Amino acid sequence: MPAAALALALCGLLAACGGGKQTVRRTPPPAQPARVWPHVDPDNPVAANAVLMRAFSLVGTPYRYGGNTPEGGFDCSGLVNYVYRDMLALNLPRTSRDLAGYQGPRIDPLRLAAGDLVFFGSSGNVSHVGIYVGEGRFVHAPSSGGTVRLDRLDGPYWRDHYSGAKRILK
């Protein structure tokens, strides 16, 4: 009898292990592998360095539609214009769309060099611009309520809205 009682108790314990509510954790989707951004030397490293240092110094400046000064804030093309004018005395078109049509060759994403302009939009329309700084990152003035910041080209929004790049520095 003791062997039968032991077997019955063991069956009861095993049955209890399978019962009750269990939480099933979903496996998160695999992260996309980080893109490798090759280092490409700019044609004019001194000018590129000046542009990058000035752009970095403006990180944190508030966004303002139509803004084009550190004191008043920046929109995306205002930031680009200010940096290139301040550091290189280069006057560029004012809007992101006009900047996209500006002289200079289009650049393959894997040939980007510091100081290149990167463009974003949808349906063939350019609506945003930033300054490429290297390693897949760019400085830009993103939107109302935001500030000038550094972002990654392979971030979900920017990757999906990337529309091309132009080399301004020669």
Side-chain angles (χ1 to χ4, degrees):
M1 179 91 166
L6 182 60
L8 187 59
L10 192 55
C11 285
L13 285 174
L14 289 175
C17 290
K21 186 175 181 178
Q22 294 184 5
T23 303
V24 176
R25 291 189 183 144
R26 294 181 187 259
T27 303
Q32 288 191 340
R35 182 184 234 179
V36 175
W37 295 92
H39 175 79
V40 176
D41 289 325
D43 294 337
N44 185 340
V46 172
N49 189 56
V51 165
L52 296 188
M53 291 303 107
R54 188 62 176 134
F56 283 137
S57 77
L58 297 168
V59 168
T61 303
Y63 176 90
R64 190 181 110 225
Y65 181 77
N68 58 10
T69 66
E71 300 77 25
F74 291 108
D75 66 9
C76 64
S77 58
L79 172 69
V80 168
N81 271 272
Y82 178 82
V83 168
Y84 278 85
R85 186 176 57 251
D86 188 42
M87 299 314 298
L88 305 175
L90 182 59
N91 291 315
L92 297 173
R94 177 59 177 97
T95 67
S96 56
R97 184 178 306 116
D98 289 342
L99 282 164
Y102 187 67
Q103 68 188 22
R106 286 183 62 89
I107 305 298
D108 180 274
L110 295 178
R111 298 297 309 150
L112 287 169
D116 288 345
L117 300 183
V118 288
F119 298 96
F120 306 89
S122 59
S123 303
N125 294 315
V126 171
S127 58
H128 192 67
V129 62
I131 300 170
Y132 186 73
V133 300
E135 298 178 359
R137 298 172 302 157
F138 66 106
V139 172
H140 65 127
S143 63
S144 294
T147 61
V148 174
R149 70 180 190 221
L150 189 64
D151 271 321
R152 297 195 61 80
L153 286 172
D154 54 6
Y157 179 84
W158 304 113
R159 178 188 61 238
D160 294 344
H161 292 86
Y162 180 83
S163 65
K166 287 274 183 137
R167 180 147 301 150
I168 300 298
L169 300 176
K170 307 225 181 327

